[in-house]
Amino acid sequence: YVELWYFTPKGCEVAASHAVTLEADTFTITKADSNLTLLPSRTSAVPKGHIIQDQHLSFSDMSIAKNNLIPHMTKCHWPPQLVQKFMDFFINLETHPIRSQPQGEQALLIYQAEARRDWYRDFAASKDNKTFDIAGI
């Protein structure tokens, strides 16, 4: 799971300004939930205080970030059917009728954050790499 903030223009700018050239085999250990994960050291270069959680992004920032996220999923060799599900998910968010209601965009941002987190958690725990269809809202 990666916060969408990393794919916003500000996230890319901050990440680039904190990028450091390190050996490819240099790793750090990070804790996510109850799991320990090895990450290349260069991925931990962004100070934690700069990162904005998904539910606190503006709807516009979420839309821009997903436009940057989707091509990266393809570059990282995600199966095309999963990339399509995420594309459908974001289209469904942007066109959902609740968006035009008071605080509708905020509700959709919170839903998006929780749905993506749950999807990644389920996917990581799955033995057969299957999880719920994220496109359905």
Side-chain angles (χ1 to χ4, degrees):
Y1 177 80
V2 176
E3 298 285 351
L4 285 176
W5 176 84
Y6 285 101
F7 296 94
T8 65
K10 183 66 177 172
C12 293
E13 178 186 316
V14 170
S17 71
H18 288 87
V20 192
T21 304
L22 297 172
E23 295 296 319
D25 59 351
T26 304
F27 292 90
T28 59
I29 297 174
T30 186
K31 185 175 182 180
D33 297 322
S34 61
N35 299 319
L36 293 177
T37 305
L38 285 175
L39 294 174
S41 293
R42 65 186 171 276
T43 63
S44 62
V46 177
K48 295 285 185 204
H50 283 91
I51 300 165
I52 299 172
Q53 293 181 329
D54 284 5
Q55 65 269 23
H56 300 298
L57 291 173
S58 68
F59 204 87
S60 176
D61 279 343
M62 185 211 54
S63 294
I64 292 167
K66 61 96 175 152
N67 288 339
N68 291 326
L69 170 67
I70 297 295
H72 280 86
M73 293 170 92
T74 301
K75 286 180 188 176
C76 291
H77 308 289
W78 279 54
Q81 67 273 19
L82 283 182
V83 175
Q84 184 63 53
K85 292 290 184 186
F86 274 87
M87 289 171 54
D88 293 344
F89 172 67
F90 286 112
I91 288 169
N92 290 339
L93 287 172
E94 289 185 338
T95 60
H96 198 281
I98 199 172
R99 185 173 175 201
S100 62
Q101 295 180 9
Q103 300 179 347
E105 288 187 347
Q106 185 60 35
L108 290 170
L109 285 167
I110 292 168
Y111 174 82
Q112 177 277 143
E114 292 186 20
R116 277 193 339 109
R117 240 181 250 114
D118 287 349
W119 187 91
Y120 283 99
R121 197 173 294 126
D122 278 3
F123 187 77
S126 170
K127 299 212 185 304
D128 57 2
N129 292 335
K130 291 186 181 179
T131 185
F132 64 92
D133 180 0
I134 194 162
I137 296 180

